[in-house]
C-alpha cells in the first residue's frame, strides 16, 4: 500500500491557517466546509487577530497549537505564505494545502515567491498541494475531509479526480453531483509546485477506494514519467482526461495561464494513446465515461444490442453507435425464437429491437434477459420514451432487475415524464449510467472501446523495446564535426552516413559536376535515374524544378542536365554546380519518416505517406520516444492511407516489417543522441521487395 | 399571409373523437391537455359510450354536434378511423389530426387502411396531420391549442418544430422547457400521409410568430420541393434539423420504422447544404443553436471575443472555438487602452480576456462594453465560474445589461452555485443562450457560421442555373439503340459521343488491333501515349495491368503491345484483341466526375480527385441536381484535396472554370435524360491549360 500522500489525504489533525469568521472570505468557507462535512479529526483555526472562530478556539500561530498537526490548509495572503510554511516546518507538519494565489501563475515576483515556498517545503521534508488551488477532498468515512471553498458537497464514490483548474473545481463537483457520481478523492493541483498529477496517479493506483481516475489538465509536467505511471494504472483502473489547450491559440492561453509550456496537440494524443488514457474533448464526455465505467466493467468487445420502445430514438442510437465504429449484430435465432412467442406480432425482431409503445416492465425484462443470455453482445443499450399509458417506474425497475442479473454493462437512455423524472432518478440511484438522448452513448462507448483494444493488445503483446547493434560513435563523430564548425544542417553524404550507422538502408548516390562524370555516374546507378541539384542546397527542391525523376536514357539525361544548369545560372564565388545521381526506385510507395521536438513532450517520431498525403491531407501519426514494437506498428496501421501500403488494387503489400524496424531504429538514434532538433527522411521508399526499401534523402537539424 | 394550414392550427371549434374519461387513455389525456391549456374555442368530446366526459356533454358522433366543427382530433382504434373521417367530411370539418396508429408504419393491412383514409380526406378537400402522431400545438394566445397527449406544457415562444418521431415528441417538448425555449407551433407529422414537412415549412415561412424552424426528421418525402421551399425560408428564418438514419444501419431501421425510403447520408448533407439548413447530429445541438438564435441575430462573421473570470474555462472555450474554425482576434489597442486603467495589474489583456477571480459585475460590464464598442468582434462569449467571494446575481445582471446595450449576439457559459443556479436562471429568463461548460458554444457557433456564409454567398451571387446549347437528340439516339438491344453499359465511342454531344471535351482515341495499326495510331496521337486493352471490356483495368501509361517511343510501344497480348492469351470465339490509344495528358491532375442515383434523393453529382483520393481517402463532394454555378463551385473548393487544384508547391492552378462547366453540363445531361443509373467520367484530367482539360474515359449505366 502506497502511503506517499497520506499526509495530505488522511490527516488526523488539521490547522487552517488564515481561518476567518468573515462571511464570503475563503478562510471562513474552508473552515465551514471542513466542519459541515464532519472531518473525522481535530481542527485548529489559526488567525492572530481572532480569538474564536466558528465557536472554536483560534491560535495566533501554528506553533501555539498544543497538539501535533498533520496537515495545514493555508489561505493567508501570498506574501505571508512562506513565513507560515516555515512555522509549519518547525511544528512538524507533514502536509500543506496552499489555497493562496499570486505565485507562478502571475509571473514576475510570483515566480520567486513560489520558489522560496518550495524551498521551505523541501527543507522540512513536507509535501505540498498548490499553491493557487481549490483544495482537496477525501470522502473515506474514516477521514471525511472536504478542504475546499465551494458550496458543493462531494458525494462519496469510487472516482478520484485531478483538476488543474481551480476555477472549474466547483463546477466539476457540482456537475458530478447532478449526475449522481461520487468521489473517493479530489485534488485541485494548482501550480503543481510540489505534488503533481503523476504523484496522484501513483498514489491512487493502490487506493482501494479508487476504481477510476478522471483528470482535467492543462499541461503534463513530465510526460515520460506520466507514460510509465499511467501505463501501470490503466492495466487495472480506467483513466480518462480532458487536456485543454488543444489548439495552438488555446495552448497559448494555457501557457499564459499556468506559466507552463503546453505542447502541440499531436503530442498529447500520442501521449494518451501510448498509455491507454481515454481522452475526451469535453467535461460532459468525461462524466459520460465515468458514468459508464464507475459501476460496471469495461465491455468485452464492440457488439451492442439496442432495446427500445420507440422507433425514432432507436434510429438515433443506431446512427450514433455505427457512426462511432461500434457494431449492432442481428439478433441470433435463439433470441428471435425466445421473443417471438412473447412479443406482439407487430414487433419486428431486429437489432435495434423496437418493442413498440405498448411495452411495459415485463416486455423490457423479457427482451433484456434474452439479449443478455448468450455471448452475442458486449453492451446493452435500453431506451425508454414515456408513452402516456405506461408506468415509467415499472420500466425503470425492469431495467434495474435485468442489469442485476447480467455481468454485461448497460448504458440507458431514459426519457420519462418531466426533465428529470422519477424513473431516471431510480436508475441513477441504482448506479446505472443514464443519458437523456441516446447520441452521447455512441461517443462514450467508442472511447471506451479504444481503451479496451489498447488493454487487450497490451495483454497479448507486452511492450518490447528492441535495441539494434549500431555504430553510436560514428554518429557522435559526425555531430562533433558540425558542432565544431558551428553548422546546424546535416545533409548529403553525412546524412547518409548517420542513417547507415543506425542500419537504415539508403539508396546509394553519386555526386558529379561535369557532363562526363554525370554520364558515368548515371550509367553506374542504372537507368532510370533521378538527378537532383546538389549545390547550393535549395529547400523544397521540387518547387525549384531541381529534382528530375524517371530519366530513362542518356539523351534524356543530357537534356535535363543542360536545362538544370541553365536554370540555375551563374553561382556565387566558391560554389560549383553539381548534381546528385541516384537510381530511381520505381514501383514503391513514398513515405516520410521524421522526428520533431515538442517543447513539452520532447522527441516525437512522425510517419506518413509522402508529399500530398502529409502536406495536404495531414494524414500522419506521431508517437513519443522511445517507441515499442507495438507503438511502431500503430504508427503505420493508424494512417488513413494505410491501404496504400497493405496492397491497393492488387499491388503487392509493402514490407511493413522493414518500415517498423526503420521507425524503431530512428527512435534508438534519437534516444542515443539528444542533439537533434529535427529529422526528415523524405522520401523513404517502401515496396514488397525489402531490397528496394530505402531512404532516398535525409536531413538532420541540430539544436 | 399563407393560411393553408389554419384549419389545423387555428380552429375555433374542435371535436375530440375518441375522447374518454378513463385515466391513462390517450383520449382522456388529449382532452385534458386541451382544457388545461385553455383552448380558446369550443371543444366537443365524441364518444358513443359515454354521455359526459370531463363535465362536458359527449356526443355519439361528430354528426350529432349542433355547432360547426373546424378540426377533429381522432384517437379511435385504427379500424374505426376511416368511418369517423367520412363523418367528419359530411359534417364539413376542415382539418383532421389523426393520433391513432396502426397504418403504413406497420405495413401490410395498415398500408391499405392509410390509403383508404387519405382517399376520404381528399374526397372532402380536408387536410390531415398523421396518422400515427403525437399531436399539434399552437401557443398563440388567441388559439391556445395543445392537442398532444404528453405531460409537457409547451411554453410560448418563437420556435416552430416539426417532429417525425411521435415517441420523441414528449422528450423534445420537455427538454425545450428545461432550457426555457418556447414554441410558436409544434407538429408531430407521423406518417405524413397528407401534410408533410414541406407543407409546414411553407406555412411557417409567413407565420409572424415563427422566427426559427427546428426539425427532427427521418426521411424527406420530396427532396427537390424541400430544396425550393427551404431555400426561400432560410433567406429570412434559420432552419436547423436532425436527420436520423444517417448510417446505413440506421437508415435500415428508419425504413422499417416509417415505411419510407431513407437516402444515403451524402444525399442528406448535399440537400441541407444546398438550401442552408443547419444540420446537427444530436437534439442537444439542435437546441444549442435554437438558444443562440431564437432571441439574437445570426452573427455577422466568425470573430469571437471571450471574456472570462477563470483561466481554465477560457482555455477550454478557446480550444473549442478555434477547433471549430472560428477566430479569436487579439484585443485592439482601443480596447486595451480603455481596460488598462480600469482592471487590476495582473490581468493580461489578451483574447480570451481573463478578468481573474476577483472580477465582479462592474468589471464584467466594463470589459463586455469595451469589446462590443467597435467592429472588432461578431460574437461575445462571457464565461463565469463562481468564486466564493463574488455574487453571481451581480455578474449575471452585468452580462444581461451589457447584452441589452449591444446588437452583437452573446453566448454565455455560466457555472454558478449549484447545478442550475439562480444566476443561470436569470440569464435564461432574459432570453440569453446559457451553457454550463463552454465547449458546446464552439460547435453551435460553427454550425451557425456555415449558415451565415451560405446566406451571404447567396445574397452576393444569386443561384444561376446555366443552360448550354447541346445536342439532346444525339444522346437520345444512342440511348434508344442500347435500350433496343437490351444493353445497359455504354462505353467506348458511344460514351465519348454522349460527352461530346453535351460539350464535354474528351481526349481523342483510336482503336487498333494489328501492330501496324497500333504503331500508326500512336504516331498520330503523338508520344507519350496511353495504351489500354479495348476488348473484352475489363473492369478496373489497372488491376489487370491492362492500362499502360507514359509510353514514350515506338520501342516501348512494341514491348508493351506484345506483353499485353501475351498476358491476355487466347480470346473466346468472336472476340478480337484490340487496344485503345490515346495521347497521354501529362502534367495535369486526375479527377473523377460522376453521377449516382440515390433512392430517396434522385441524381447526385459527385466530384473528387482521382484514384486514391476517392477510393481510400473518401475525399469527395456530392450535390443534388440540378446544379447551380454556386453549388458546382462548392463541389470543387469543398474538397480537402482542393489545394492540389489551386496550385500546390508552385504548380500552376488548374482551370477551375472548365471543371465547373463540366459539372454543370453533366447536371444538364442528367436532367435531360432520366434513364441513367450511374455515370463515371474517370479520369477527367485538368491542368492550367484549358486545351488539355479532357475526359479520358467514361462509362454510363442505364437504369
Amino acid at each position: 500500500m502506497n502511503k506517499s500522500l497520506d499526509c495530505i489525504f488522511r490527516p488526523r489533525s488539521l490547522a487552517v491557517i488564515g481561518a476567518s469568521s468573515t462571511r464570503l472570505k475563503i478562510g471562513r468557507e474552508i473552515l465551514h466546509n471542513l466542519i459541515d462535512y464532519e472531518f473525522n479529526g481535530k481542527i485548529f483555526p489559526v488567525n492572530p487577530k481572532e480569538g474564536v472562530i466558528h465557536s472554536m478556539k483560534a491560535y495566533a500561530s501554528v506553533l501555539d497549537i498544543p497538539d501535533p498537526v498533520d496537515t495545514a490548509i493555508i489561505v493567508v495572503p501570498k506574501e505571508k505564505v512562506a513565513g507560515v510554511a516555515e512555522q509549519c516546518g518547525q511544528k512538524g507538519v507533514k502536509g500543506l494545502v496552499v489555497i493562496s494565489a499570486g505565485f507562478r501563475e502571475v509571473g514576475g515576483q510570483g515566480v520567486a515567491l513560489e520558489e522560496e515556498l518550495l524551498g521551505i517545503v523541501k527543507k522540512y521534508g513536507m509535501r505540498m498541494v498548490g499553491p493557487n488551488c481549490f483544495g482537496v477532498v477525501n470522502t473515506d468515512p474514516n477521514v471525511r475531509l472536504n478542504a475546499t471553498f465551494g458550496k458543493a458537497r462531494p458525494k462519496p464514490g469510487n472516482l478520484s479526480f485531478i483538476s488543474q483548474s481551480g476555477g472549474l473545481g466547483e463546477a466539476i463537483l457540482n456537475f458530478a453531483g447532478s449526475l449522481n457520481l461520487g468521489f473517493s478523492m479530489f485534488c485541485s493541483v494548482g501550480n503543481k509546485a510540489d505534488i503533481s498529477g503523476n504523484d496522484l496517479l501513483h498514489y491512487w493506483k493502490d487506493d482501494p477506494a479508487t476504481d477510476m481516475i478522471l483528470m482535467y489538465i492543462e499541461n503534463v509536467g513530465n510526460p515520460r514519467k506520466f507514460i510509465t505511471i499511467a501505463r501501470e494504472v490503466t492495466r487495472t483502473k480506467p483513466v480518462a482526461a480532458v487536456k485543454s489547450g488543444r489548439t495552438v491559440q488555446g495552448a497559448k492561453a494555457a501557457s499564459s495561464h499556468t506559466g507552463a509550456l503546453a505542447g502541440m496537440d499531436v503530442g498529447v494524443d500520442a501521449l494518451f494513446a501510448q498509455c491507454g488514457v481515454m481522452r475526451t474533448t469535453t467535461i460532459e464526455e468525461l462524466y459520460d465515461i465515468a458514468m459508464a465505467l464507475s459501476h460496471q466493467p469495461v465491455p468485452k468487445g464492440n457488439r451492442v444490442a439496442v432495446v427500445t420502445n420507440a422507433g425514432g430514438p432507436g434510429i438515433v442510437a443506431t446512427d450514433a453507435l455505427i457512426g462511432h465504429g461500434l457494431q449492432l449484430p442481428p439478433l441470433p435465432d435463439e433470441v428471435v425464437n425466445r421473443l417471438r412467442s412473447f412479443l406482439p406480432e407487430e414487433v419486428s425482431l431486429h437489432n435495434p429491437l423496437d418493442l413498440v409503445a405498448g411495452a411495459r416492465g415485463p416486455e423490457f425484462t423479457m427482451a433484456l434477459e434474452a439479449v443478455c443470455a448468450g455471448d452475442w453482445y458486449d453492451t446493452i443499450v435500453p431506451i425508454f420514451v414515456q408513452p402516456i399509458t405506461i408506468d415509467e417506474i415499472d420500466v425503470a425497475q425492469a431495467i434495474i432487475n435485468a442489469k442485476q442479473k447480467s455481468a454485461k454493462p448497460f448504458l440507458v437512455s431514459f426519457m420519462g415524464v418531466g426533465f428529470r423524472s422519477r424513473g431516471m432518478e431510480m436508475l441513477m440511484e441504482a448506479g446505472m449510467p443514464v443519458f437523456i438522448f441516446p447520441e452521447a452513448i455512441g461517443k462514450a462507448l467508442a472511447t471506451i472501446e479504444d481503451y479496451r483494444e489498447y488493454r487487450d493488445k497490451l495483454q497479448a503483446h507486452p511492450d518490447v523495446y528492441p535495441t539494434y547493434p549500431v555504430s553510436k560513435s560514428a554518429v557522435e563523430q559526425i555531430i562533433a564535426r558540425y558542432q565544431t564548425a558551428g553548422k546546424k544542417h546535416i545533409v548529403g553524404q553525412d546524412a547518409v552516413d548517420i542513417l547507415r550507422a543506425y542500419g537504415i538502408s539508403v539508396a546509394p548516390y553519386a555526386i558529379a559536376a561535369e557532363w562526363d562524370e554525370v554520364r558515368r555516374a548515371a550509367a553506374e546507378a542504372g537507368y532510370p535515374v533521378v538527378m537532383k541539384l546538389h549545390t547550393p542546397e535549395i529547400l523544397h527542391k521540387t518547387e525549384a524544378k531541381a529534382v528530375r525523376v524517371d530519366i530513362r536514357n542518356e539523351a534524356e539525361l543530357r537534356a535535363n542536365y543542360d536545362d538544370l544548369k541553365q536554370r540555375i545560372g551563374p553561382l556565387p564565388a566558391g560554389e560549383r554546380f553539381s548534381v546528385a545521381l541516384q537510381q530511381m526506385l520505381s514501383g514503391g510507395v513514398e513515405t516520410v519518416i521524421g522526428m520533431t521536438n515538442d517543447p513539452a513532450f520532447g522527441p516525437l517520431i512522425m510517419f506518413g505517406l509522402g508529399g500530398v498525403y502529409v502536406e495536404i491531407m495531414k494524414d500522419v501519426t506521431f508517437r513519443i520516444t522511445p517507441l515499442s514494437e507495438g507503438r511502431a506498428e500503430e504508427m503505420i496501421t493508424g494512417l488513413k492511407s494505410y491501404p496504400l501500403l497493405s496492397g491497393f488494387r492488387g499491388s503487392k503489400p509493402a514490407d511493413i516489417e522493414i518500415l517498423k524496424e526503420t521507425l524503431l531504429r530512428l527512435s534508438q538514434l534519437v534516444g542515443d543522441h539528444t542533439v537533434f532538433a529535427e529529422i526528415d527522411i523524405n522520401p523513404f521508399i517502401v515496396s514488397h521487395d525489402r531490397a528496394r526499401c530505402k531512404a532516398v534523402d535525409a536531413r538532420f537539424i541540430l539544436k
Side-chain angles (χ1 to χ4, degrees), chain A:
Chain A
M1 183 65 207
N2 170 353
K3 292 174 177 269
S4 56
L5 299 183
D6 282 1
C7 60
I8 301 289
F9 290 99
R10 309 190 74 84
R12 278 154 307 157
S13 63
L14 280 178
V16 181
I17 306 178
S20 161
S21 55
T22 311
R23 278 200 160 269
L24 290 183
K25 280 218 163 181
I26 289 175
R28 188 256 180 204
E29 299 300 326
I30 292 253
L31 188 64
H32 175 82
N33 279 350
L34 282 165
I35 294 166
D36 186 55
Y37 210 69
E38 298 181 40
F39 172 61
N40 195 15
K42 285 173 271 185
I43 304 175
F44 300 102
V46 176
N47 187 325
K49 293 186 196 139
E50 304 192 47
V52 179
I53 301 174
H54 232 301
S55 320
M56 297 171 104
K57 175 181 162 70
Y59 296 86
S61 137
V62 71
L63 293 168
D64 297 334
I65 298 170
D67 296 41
V69 172
D70 293 336
T71 306
I73 317 293
I74 298 178
V75 285
V76 299
K78 60 177 184 283
E79 54 282 349
K80 294 197 178 155
V81 172
V84 159
E86 181 75 41
Q87 290 176 334
C88 286
Q90 289 165 11
K91 171 72 184 169
V93 171
K94 296 178 207 81
L96 305 182
V97 177
V98 182
I99 308 288
S100 316
F103 293 85
R104 182 176 300 276
E105 80 279 8
V106 299
Q109 189 57 27
V111 178
L113 277 180
E114 186 164 313
E115 272 162 23
E116 184 192 0
L117 172 60
L118 185 61
I120 294 162
V121 167
K122 298 265 185 217
K123 181 170 77 180
Y124 289 102
M126 297 186 285
R127 299 304 307 268
M128 172 175 70
V129 171
N132 180 33
C133 81
F134 177 68
V136 298
V137 172
N138 183 359
T139 64
D140 182 339
N142 295 318
V143 179
R144 306 189 58 87
L145 173 72
N146 177 8
T148 66
F149 55 89
K151 290 273 180 225
R153 280 180 60 96
K155 252 184 54 112
N158 60 357
L159 304 171
S160 284
F161 201 116
I162 297 166
S163 173
Q164 200 177 340
S165 165
L168 280 176
E170 164 107 16
I172 282 167
L173 293 178
N174 271 327
F175 194 60
S178 80
L179 298 173
N180 214 47
L181 287 170
F183 293 103
S184 166
M185 300 190 211
F186 168 87
C187 185
S188 165
V189 291
N191 293 0
K192 306 192 292 188
D194 175 34
I195 292 173
S196 66
N198 287 342
D199 293 327
L200 289 160
L201 279 178
H202 185 63
Y203 179 61
W204 289 338
K205 181 165 79 74
D206 300 321
D207 173 33
T210 298
D211 291 330
M212 182 175 181
I213 298 172
L214 307 179
M215 305 196 285
Y216 168 86
I217 51 177
E218 292 170 0
N219 74 335
V220 181
N222 186 338
R224 276 165 184 76
K225 194 170 162 202
F226 178 84
I227 289 189
T228 311
I229 297 174
R231 195 174 285 170
E232 273 308 303
V233 177
T234 57
R235 274 178 206 280
T236 53
K237 300 180 182 184
V239 178
V242 172
K243 160 76 174 71
S244 71
R246 284 184 298 130
T247 53
V248 174
Q249 203 152 352
K252 229 186 264 166
S255 97
S256 76
H257 173 57
T258 62
L261 271 167
M264 298 182 296
D265 202 43
V266 290
V268 182
D269 279 337
L271 180 75
F272 286 1
Q274 277 171 265
C275 54
V277 170
M278 290 174 272
R279 184 177 194 181
T280 68
T281 50
T282 71
I283 290 165
E284 282 103 321
E285 285 169 36
L286 194 70
Y287 281 131
D288 286 348
I289 289 171
M291 279 203 291
L293 294 182
S294 66
H295 295 290
Q296 302 188 114
V298 172
K300 292 213 166 73
N302 67 353
R303 302 165 303 168
V304 184
V306 174
V307 177
T308 176
N309 72 334
I315 298 166
V316 172
T318 303
D319 274 358
L321 290 162
I322 300 288
H324 282 100
L326 295 145
Q327 301 294 322
L328 268 83
L331 297 181
D333 291 346
E334 245 172 290
V335 173
V336 170
N337 294 337
R338 189 163 158 186
L339 293 177
R340 182 42 71 220
S341 56
F342 189 84
L343 292 172
E345 203 189 327
E346 69 261 36
V347 171
S348 41
L349 296 170
H350 299 299
N351 183 16
L353 175 58
D354 183 357
L355 301 174
V356 307
R360 288 159 204 271
E363 284 81 5
F364 265 95
T365 303
M366 176 74 185
L368 291 171
E369 286 183 7
V371 295
C372 285
D375 182 24
W376 307 304
Y377 301 104
D378 305 300
T379 302
I380 312 299
V381 175
I383 300 177
F384 174 73
V385 180
Q386 172 73 49
I388 198 69
T389 51
I390 303 291
D391 180 8
E392 66 166 270
I393 305 290
D394 182 32
V395 173
Q397 194 59 55
I399 295 172
I400 293 168
N401 294 348
K403 165 65 200 147
Q404 276 163 357
K405 286 191 199 153
S406 172
K408 294 182 200 291
F410 278 42
L411 277 76
V412 187
S413 165
F414 200 91
M415 305 177 233
V417 176
F419 182 53
R420 286 282 292 254
S421 72
R422 179 66 199 128
M424 191 173 179
E425 298 285 348
M426 273 174 66
L427 287 158
M428 284 166 68
E429 281 158 21
M432 314 233 345
V434 192
F435 301 79
I436 300 178
F437 294 104
E439 298 101 334
I441 294 175
K443 188 145 199 190
L445 261 184
T447 307
I448 293 168
E449 172 63 8
D450 284 346
Y451 169 54
R452 183 196 63 81
E453 275 187 8
Y454 162 88
R455 233 177 44 175
D456 288 0
K457 209 190 280 175
L458 201 64
Q459 225 151 19
H461 307 282
D463 267 334
V464 175
Y465 294 83
T467 309
Y468 300 94
V470 298
S471 172
K472 198 172 158 181
S473 63
V475 174
E476 277 164 357
Q477 282 164 24
I478 296 172
I479 292 168
R481 193 147 38 78
Y482 277 76
Q483 286 175 329
T484 309
K487 286 190 186 170
K488 288 197 176 306
H489 289 245
I490 308 180
V491 292
Q493 193 58 46
D494 289 329
V496 169
D497 290 344
I498 291 176
L499 293 180
R500 289 221 173 110
Y502 273 73
I504 296 172
S505 33
V506 192
Y509 74 100
I511 308 295
E514 298 310 321
W515 165 244
D516 251 10
E517 291 173 82
V518 169
R519 193 175 52 88
R520 231 176 304 124
E524 231 160 77
Y527 287 102
V529 297
V530 179
M531 182 175 70
K532 286 179 223 173
L533 183 64
H534 181 243
T535 278
E537 193 52 44
I538 292 183
L539 286 169
H540 284 305
K541 295 196 186 87
T542 315
E543 281 173 29
K545 286 189 197 288
V547 179
R548 309 297 171 100
V549 300
D550 200 11
I551 299 172
R552 298 195 191 173
N553 51 47
E554 201 175 299
E556 288 184 14
L557 184 70
R558 179 81 217 206
N560 276 290
Y561 175 80
D562 290 346
D563 181 65
L564 184 57
K565 199 163 182 175
Q566 193 212 317
R567 262 174 204 274
I568 296 302
L571 289 169
E575 298 276 12
R576 182 174 171 230
F577 178 82
S578 64
V579 294
L581 284 155
Q582 234 171 349
Q583 189 186 17
M584 171 132 172
L585 295 165
S586 59
V589 178
E590 279 195 17
T591 69
V592 181
I593 298 173
M595 187 279 294
T596 179
N597 255 287
D598 181 279
F601 297 111
L604 299 176
I605 303 283
M606 188 213 73
F607 178 66
L609 260 59
V612 174
Y613 296 97
V614 170
E615 293 183 37
I616 293 181
M617 309 304 274
K618 314 284 182 212
D619 184 26
V620 291
T621 49
F622 285 91
R623 286 293 182 273
I624 292 172
T625 59
L627 289 185
S628 66
E629 286 186 359
R631 297 298 87 75
E633 188 167 322
E634 280 169 19
M635 291 185 72
I636 302 164
T637 57
L639 286 182
K640 205 172 166 190
S641 49
Y642 173 64
L644 280 175
L645 294 173
S646 62
F648 174 57
R649 279 202 172 174
S651 69
K652 289 191 189 160
D655 188 332
I656 303 296
E657 286 307 312
I658 192 74
L659 260 184
K660 243 171 77 177
E661 192 182 312
T662 305
L663 292 168
L664 290 164
R665 284 177 181 273
L666 182 65
S667 170
Q668 187 173 344
L669 172 69
V670 167
D672 285 352
H673 310 276
T674 57
V675 295
F676 296 117
E678 280 176 50
I679 301 174
D680 246 343
I681 306 178
N682 183 8
F684 185 91
I685 305 279
V686 285
S687 72
H688 65 281
D689 175 7
R690 179 167 297 206
R692 287 199 293 151
C693 294
K694 284 183 170 140
V696 172
D697 205 353
R699 117 185 358 247
F700 296 78
I701 303 176
L702 298 174
K703 280 178 191 166

